[in-house]
Amino acid sequence: MTLVSPPDLSRYARFVQRTGRLGGRWVLAWPAVILGIFFVIPFLLLLRVSVAESGFGAMGNGGFTAASYLAAFQNDVFVYSVVFSVVLAAVVALISIAAGFPFTYAITRMSRRAQVCWLVFVLMTLSLSEVLITFAWQVMLAKRVGISNLLVWLGLMAEPVSLSPNLGAVLACLVYLVIPFTVLVLFPGMSRIDPQMAEAARTMGATPARTFFTIIVPIMRGPIVTCLMMSFIVGIGSYVAPMVLGRPEHWTVAILISKAATASNDMPLASAMSVLFLAVASVICLIIYRLGVRKV
Amino acid sequence: MNNVRMAAASRNLFLFLFAAFLSMPLIIVAGVSFNATRRMSFPPQQWSLHWYADFFGDPGWMGALELSLFVGVASALLAASAALPICYFGWKYMMRLTTVLTGLGSLPFMLPPIVLAVVFLVFWSLLGHVGQVEDLVIAHGIVFMQLPIAAMALGFRSIDRALIDAAGTLGARDEDVFRTIVLPIVLPYIVSGALFVFLLSLNEYIIAQMVVGFAMETLPVKIFNSLRTGFSPSMCVGAVLFMLVGLVGYSLIAWIGDLPKLLGSESAK
């Protein structure tokens, strides 16, 4: 009975009448237990550990204190990395949407077979590990094999150089990581746009570019907002790319949190940093959402 | 007319550049993996499958591959088995419980992976059960549960209610309806959802590294660790393997299911 909330009583009564049983609803206990034990409880434990006194067990000494939060605030490197991660993720999100938006529009206008090919390709790059993509970029930016050789061959550069570590390498790699997400978030809305709308605009004399900016972009306002949030989250959580392709001043929050958790083994501090990080990311998503809604 | 042709040309140029951007790193890595010498060079000066033999003959790489495949399959089964009841009962009765479970099951996917890694690390450490394979299977099952939930919800929504009513009128019991009507329609979505989890689990790095990384290495963790110790073309072989698995996996999804629809397109062209 506990499975049934009050508004469903009539449905439930009807159902019991028909089958005389719970109708297998006990099966719901499986996902409920899994999610309860392995997601809800661990998450609450994170909050708990973040206010524990740090000390000799890795989990701290118990007790309640805001010391870890204060330590995080007073840690200049952490505060700087939060700001840096936010700016980096914002830039990456903007570049990705600027390139991914016209691309998604182009593939939704293709035949079904061509769409499937492009989608399989985009999905493949989407699921490729951040490690692999970073590794591929590292190889590509290397002195011996990378694109600098191509530039030399084209006569644009005097001699091959190593193009990492630097901020540009981090940016390029992150855009590569984020673009598949932007495409997949924009795809549903884009594929539902009635092609006749663009045709109508064109018969009335609008250029393709004008049609694109005055018809397609405004229709896609909602998905664009979602897409910016999603890209932002993927970018702000990046770990491997800044670590391998960047210098220490390009390190994101994720790297600092993992260092606090594994290298210094200070779980209260790592938990407090995670909570703060989550709070910052949520607030910024909320801001993006508000900005997107208000202008309608 | 000239304008239209210009637009088409610039569109094709843009698509070409986009495809080049996405495929260049992959092509270079694949090229390096076919190289005969240990030194990186592209295009390969001498083609050879040397590094492939090396990769498949190395117990370290094979162990990592096996572990990754096991975790991928197990977490896919876990996520799909939890998502199926949520979506089935959500579709059938619209219970408040299923709404809550759908939300809970979808939430982890939206959180930054590092936060989830700390969450699971704290949890398993407090239980005193660290560095076990099942820790990672459960973590991946939870984190990627959103994908089968979304895929299956779509599948259930595509069932024509008239079919169910007709079956009921003809005297079919709920079990019969589930077995003969619901399951066949939803099966492609179940398989696609599970495949998505498998492919993402296979490639996931940070959670695998933090939750069990000190005790065992999945393929991405091993590639990352070798990345820090120095370059070896065997890593490129690992990378090529991942691309192939991804390509085959998503082609499989496109073949069993309706890929554009799974990704949210409604128009059937």
Side-chain angles (χ1 to χ4, degrees):
Chain A
M1 285 301 278
T2 50
L3 292 183
V4 185
S5 47
D8 291 319
L9 273 177
S10 60
R11 282 169 169 279
Y12 178 71
R14 208 161 3 114
F15 180 72
V16 170
Q17 216 176 10
R18 210 166 74 220
T19 63
R21 283 180 292 123
L22 261 174
R25 262 185 264 199
W26 54 269
V27 180
L28 275 177
W30 169 241
V33 165
I34 292 265
L35 284 168
I37 295 183
F38 297 117
F39 180 59
V40 178
I41 292 179
F43 198 82
L44 295 176
L45 284 174
L46 176 85
L47 297 179
R48 171 67 190 90
V49 169
S50 74
V51 291
E53 285 165 21
S54 51
F56 59 112
M59 288 301 141
N61 288 335
F64 283 92
T65 166
S68 298
Y69 285 94
L70 285 177
F73 272 120
Q74 283 160 0
N75 184 339
D76 288 342
V77 179
F78 177 73
V79 174
Y80 169 81
S81 83
V82 170
V83 176
F84 176 76
S85 304
V86 168
V87 174
L88 184 70
V91 172
V92 167
L94 288 174
I95 297 178
S96 304
I97 204 163
F101 191 92
F103 170 75
T104 316
Y105 180 69
I107 59 168
T108 53
R109 305 298 110 179
M110 291 176 185
S111 74
R112 198 190 147 73
R113 180 175 285 271
Q115 269 188 41
V116 170
C117 289
W118 277 103
L119 288 175
V120 166
F121 180 58
V122 168
L123 274 170
M124 183 194 75
T125 60
L126 165 96
S127 68
L128 275 184
S129 171
E130 194 186 349
V131 174
L132 284 179
I133 291 173
T134 307
F135 168 56
W137 274 90
Q138 200 191 24
V139 171
M140 195 166 83
L141 298 174
K143 191 171 173 182
R144 287 189 50 82
V145 295
I147 41 174
S148 65
N149 293 276
L150 188 70
L151 296 177
V152 172
W153 185 74
L154 288 172
L156 295 173
M157 214 183 249
E159 57 183 25
V161 290
S162 178
L163 295 170
S164 74
N166 68 35
L167 189 57
V170 177
L171 267 178
C173 185
L174 286 182
V175 168
Y176 188 98
L177 272 167
V178 168
I179 270 192
F181 283 94
T182 64
V183 172
L184 292 181
V185 173
L186 292 174
F187 181 75
M190 207 80 105
S191 65
R192 283 172 207 170
I193 295 178
D194 189 349
Q196 288 182 336
M197 248 186 287
E199 271 165 39
R202 235 167 273 167
T203 43
M204 293 169 95
T207 60
R210 196 180 152 88
T211 312
F212 183 77
F213 284 108
T214 55
I215 310 270
I216 309 300
V217 175
I219 294 179
M220 290 294 292
R221 163 161 234 117
I224 288 175
V225 173
T226 316
C227 184
L228 279 175
M229 288 199 283
M230 181 87 184
S231 316
F232 182 79
I233 292 173
V234 177
I236 203 171
S238 65
Y239 173 90
V240 184
M243 186 147 166
V244 175
L245 298 174
R247 299 201 180 87
E249 68 261 29
H250 306 138
W251 281 6
T252 50
V253 197
I255 300 175
L256 293 189
I257 293 178
S258 106
K259 286 220 180 302
T262 53
S264 4
N265 209 15
D266 187 347
M267 290 316 283
L269 181 64
S271 305
M273 283 176 165
S274 300
V275 174
L276 287 174
F277 176 41
L278 206 55
V280 170
S282 313
V283 166
I284 291 179
C285 283
L286 208 65
I287 293 174
I288 298 176
Y289 179 74
R290 277 298 172 82
L291 284 179
V293 172
R294 198 192 297 152
K295 280 192 204 150
V296 173
Chain B
M1 205 55 220
N2 208 9
N3 240 340
V4 174
R5 201 175 306 153
M6 274 266 291
S10 55
R11 193 199 69 148
N12 287 339
L13 178 70
F14 172 71
L15 280 176
F16 171 78
L17 288 177
F18 199 90
F21 176 70
L22 285 185
S23 48
M24 189 135 77
L26 309 182
I27 292 171
I28 290 187
V29 166
V32 173
S33 79
F34 287 111
N35 222 344
T37 57
R38 176 166 270 286
R39 302 181 68 180
M40 270 198 266
S41 60
F42 184 87
Q45 278 141 4
Q46 258 189 315
W47 293 83
S48 134
L49 288 174
H50 176 73
W51 298 110
Y52 284 79
D54 209 52
F55 181 90
F56 287 104
D58 181 348
W61 285 107
M62 291 320 281
L65 181 63
E66 263 169 43
L67 177 66
S68 281
L69 291 175
F70 173 77
V71 172
V73 171
S75 57
L77 291 177
L78 176 69
S81 75
L84 183 58
I86 298 178
C87 295
Y88 175 63
F89 290 102
W91 165 75
K92 202 164 173 202
Y93 306 115
M94 294 283 280
M95 296 154 66
R96 189 169 296 171
L97 178 67
T98 57
T99 315
V100 171
L101 287 177
T102 305
L104 267 183
S106 311
L107 183 63
F109 195 60
M110 308 289 158
L111 301 180
I114 182 70
V115 173
L116 293 161
V118 175
V119 165
F120 288 116
L121 183 60
V122 164
F123 179 69
W124 293 115
S125 310
L126 284 175
L127 281 186
H129 186 271
V130 290
Q132 308 292 321
V133 153
E134 57 268 26
D135 300 357
L136 183 58
V137 170
I138 292 173
H140 279 180
I142 297 276
V143 173
F144 299 126
M145 200 181 287
Q146 193 265 345
L147 300 154
I149 288 180
M152 289 182 205
L154 208 62
F156 280 109
R157 235 179 289 146
S158 73
I159 299 175
D160 189 349
R161 287 269 173 180
L163 278 177
I164 310 294
D165 291 342
T169 324
L170 293 171
R173 289 167 304 161
D174 273 20
E175 298 94 286
D176 301 327
V177 174
F178 181 77
R179 198 164 37 81
T180 58
I181 300 178
V182 175
L183 205 57
I185 297 180
V186 178
L187 197 61
Y189 295 90
I190 298 179
V191 177
S192 315
L195 267 173
F196 274 118
V197 177
F198 171 74
L199 292 168
L200 269 90
S201 157
L202 214 56
N203 283 284
E204 199 283 327
Y205 167 72
I206 181 88
I207 297 174
Q209 161 67 32
M210 282 185 55
V211 176
V212 297
F214 48 87
M216 55 189 84
E217 288 178 322
T218 62
L219 210 43
V221 174
K222 181 151 173 66
I223 293 182
F224 184 77
N225 289 344
S226 355
L227 202 65
R228 313 211 75 191
T229 51
F231 173 81
S232 147
S234 303
M235 297 159 62
C236 295
V237 177
V240 170
L241 216 60
F242 269 115
M243 292 178 222
L244 284 180
V245 171
L247 215 52
V248 171
Y250 289 115
S251 304
L252 212 58
I253 293 177
W255 182 59
I256 355 180
D258 180 342
L259 192 62
K261 188 173 175 187
L262 268 174
L263 297 177
S265 162
E266 261 176 5
S267 63
K269 277 195 185 171

